């Protein structure tokens, strides 16, 4: 719960946007390929993004922020390198908690979410392993999207996120 809201908070803070729901990995080049689908958020989350309120389209479960060249979201480049993997969990009424996890734990989490694991089997495990091999990995329990995005930006060690690849 809350992946889209957290993604939108990160993008609103200047992080580059790869995708909201899916990650496409090119194993030949060893890179993640942007697959930008418009982030969808629920009505109760709109207040977090008052500066974007007029840009949203739709209502209820169908409310989304269109991705356009002149829009508020900075799209990632063609060959982004994955530096950080986050395993997020939204918790109502809780506090933000960011902790490092091993690349192995991240690999297991990603394996459980991989859509093509049944088709590619061991190759999928190899591809996911290469994806996490250079990444810092975190578990994030969060309540407020902008507090969580600040914690992630700080943990990433990037001084000026707008200039980050």
């Amino acid at each position: 719960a809350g992946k889209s809201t957290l993604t939108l908070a990160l993008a609103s803070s200047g992080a580059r946007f790869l995708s909201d729901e899916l990650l496409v990995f090119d194993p030949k080049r060893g890179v993640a390929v942007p697959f930008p689908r418009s982030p969808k958020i629920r009505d109760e989350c709109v207040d977090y993004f008052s500066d974007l309120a007029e840009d949203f389209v739709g209502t209820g479960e169908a409310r989304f922020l269109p991705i356009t060249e002149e829009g508020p979201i900075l799209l990632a480049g063609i060959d982004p390198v994955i530096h950080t993997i986050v395993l997020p969990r939204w918790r109502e009424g809780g506090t933000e908690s960011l902790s490092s996890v091993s690349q192995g734990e991240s690999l297991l989490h990603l394996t459980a979410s991989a859509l093509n694991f049944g088709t590619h089997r061991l190759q999928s495990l190899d591809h996911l392993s290469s994806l996490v091999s250079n990444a810092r990995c975190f578990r994030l329990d969060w309540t407020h999207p902008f507090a969580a995005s600040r914690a992630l930006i700080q943990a990433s060690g990037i001084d000026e996120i707008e200039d980050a690849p």
Side-chain angles (χ1 to χ4, degrees):
K3 294 180 303 292
S4 297
T5 302
L6 180 58
T7 298
L8 190 52
L10 284 161
S12 294
S13 298
R16 303 286 186 195
F17 183 73
L18 275 173
S19 176
D20 183 35
E21 291 289 330
L22 298 170
L23 175 72
V24 177
F25 181 70
D26 180 348
K28 290 183 181 176
R29 294 186 293 161
V31 297
V33 178
F35 189 74
R37 291 180 54 207
S38 297
K40 289 199 264 184
I41 65 167
R42 297 182 180 168
D43 288 339
E44 60 266 19
C45 297
V46 173
D47 290 342
Y48 290 124
F49 307 101
S50 57
D51 57 325
L52 300 174
E54 64 187 41
D55 296 326
F56 286 106
V57 174
T59 59
E61 294 293 318
R63 180 185 309 276
F64 67 96
L65 181 65
I67 295 176
T68 62
E69 287 186 28
E70 62 277 346
I73 294 177
L74 299 171
L75 296 177
I78 285 295
D79 291 289
V81 175
I82 302 299
H83 295 284
T84 305
I85 294 175
V86 180
L87 311 177
R89 286 188 303 205
W90 179 78
R91 304 254 185 197
E92 184 173 6
T95 59
E96 276 62 37
S97 170
L98 182 67
S99 57
S100 294
V101 296
S102 69
Q103 291 172 333
E105 185 175 344
S106 292
L107 175 64
L108 289 174
H109 184 83
L110 293 174
T111 300
S113 302
L115 296 177
N116 63 355
F117 197 79
T119 304
H120 298 287
R121 302 202 182 269
L122 290 178
Q123 285 180 330
S124 288
L125 193 54
D126 291 340
H127 300 327
L128 290 172
S129 293
S130 68
L131 186 69
V132 302
S133 66
N134 294 313
R136 296 178 68 194
C137 304
F138 298 96
R139 175 168 313 285
L140 173 67
D141 293 325
W142 66 278
T143 298
H144 190 282
F146 284 99
S149 69
R150 282 190 299 275
L152 284 171
I153 290 167
Q154 184 177 17
S156 72
I158 299 172
D159 293 328
E160 294 190 33
I161 196 156
E162 294 84 14
D163 298 331

